[in-house]
Amino acid sequence: MTTDAYSIPQLVADLRRVRAEYPDEHRLLATVRPLALRAAESRELWLEDHMLAPDREQGFSLFPLHEEPDHSLAVFAFSWLPDRGTPPHDHGTWAVVAGVVGPEWNTFWRRLDDGSRPGQAKLERIGAKMFLPGEVLAMPTGTIHQVWNQTEAVTVSLHIYGVHINHTGRSQFDPEKGTAEPYIARVARQR
Ligand SMILES: [Fe+2]
């Protein structure tokens, strides 16, 4: 363990302070960024061997590291199988993702419709970026992205959300079909 190791409990204590200090989401995200990076760099404190075998059906696994009783400030270790990922989705809250093991490809989308037709959504692809370990992706509420592991090995990232993503009513999208539907992820059980 390095002397400047930064544990999940330390991260959570800082997240609570930051949230109280910065009601503005833009400033909150800027402040959470370096915290996520420090926690990612201290992976020896939270990354366990069993996390490196993601759910084969889902294509990825999320391992809960923290969640407040009201489902806010949810922290997860995510691991991703090779050539697997997510559909385009939103989070229903802010999200900060720090790379830990391997690169992760992110495609970003923008919603063109007003969301008034249930089950329907018109999306436009607006960009893509590869995120590496040591990099942080901060996403304001409303961001739509798709994550894919284009490598031949399992990748890992550390995710922090304003609210647990299964408690926000978020959506997954099929841009070709123009559809939107609820997106609930299967969360790995805590050991
Ligand atoms: Fe996401």
Side-chain angles (χ1 to χ4, degrees), residues 80 86 89-91 95 97 106 139 145-147 159 161 170:
W80 307 82
T86 69
H89 63 270
D90 61 14
H91 303 108
V97 178
N106 275 254
M139 292 177 276
H145 76 147
Q146 179 174 23
V147 183
H159 295 221
Y161 299 99
R170 70 181 183 142

Side-chain angles (χ1 to χ4, degrees), residues 54-131:
D55 184 328
R56 302 202 73 80
E57 194 181 325
Q58 186 164 241
F60 61 91
S61 285
L62 47 161
F63 300 90
L65 301 177
H66 178 78
E67 179 184 355
E68 300 281 64
D70 66 355
H71 305 300
S72 66
L73 301 183
V75 182
F76 300 96
F78 267 65
S79 58
W80 307 82
L81 282 170
D83 200 30
R84 299 290 296 276
T86 69
H89 63 270
D90 61 14
H91 303 108
T93 183
W94 57 264
V96 176
V97 178
V100 178
V101 177
E104 289 174 2
W105 191 254
N106 275 254
T107 307
F108 298 96
W109 305 79
R110 181 164 63 107
R111 190 159 183 173
L112 300 175
D113 67 312
D114 62 6
S116 61
R117 290 169 301 167
Q120 295 184 45
K122 187 167 167 52
L123 260 58
E124 176 187 43
R125 188 180 182 278
I126 53 172
K129 187 180 186 314
M130 184 82 88
F131 284 90

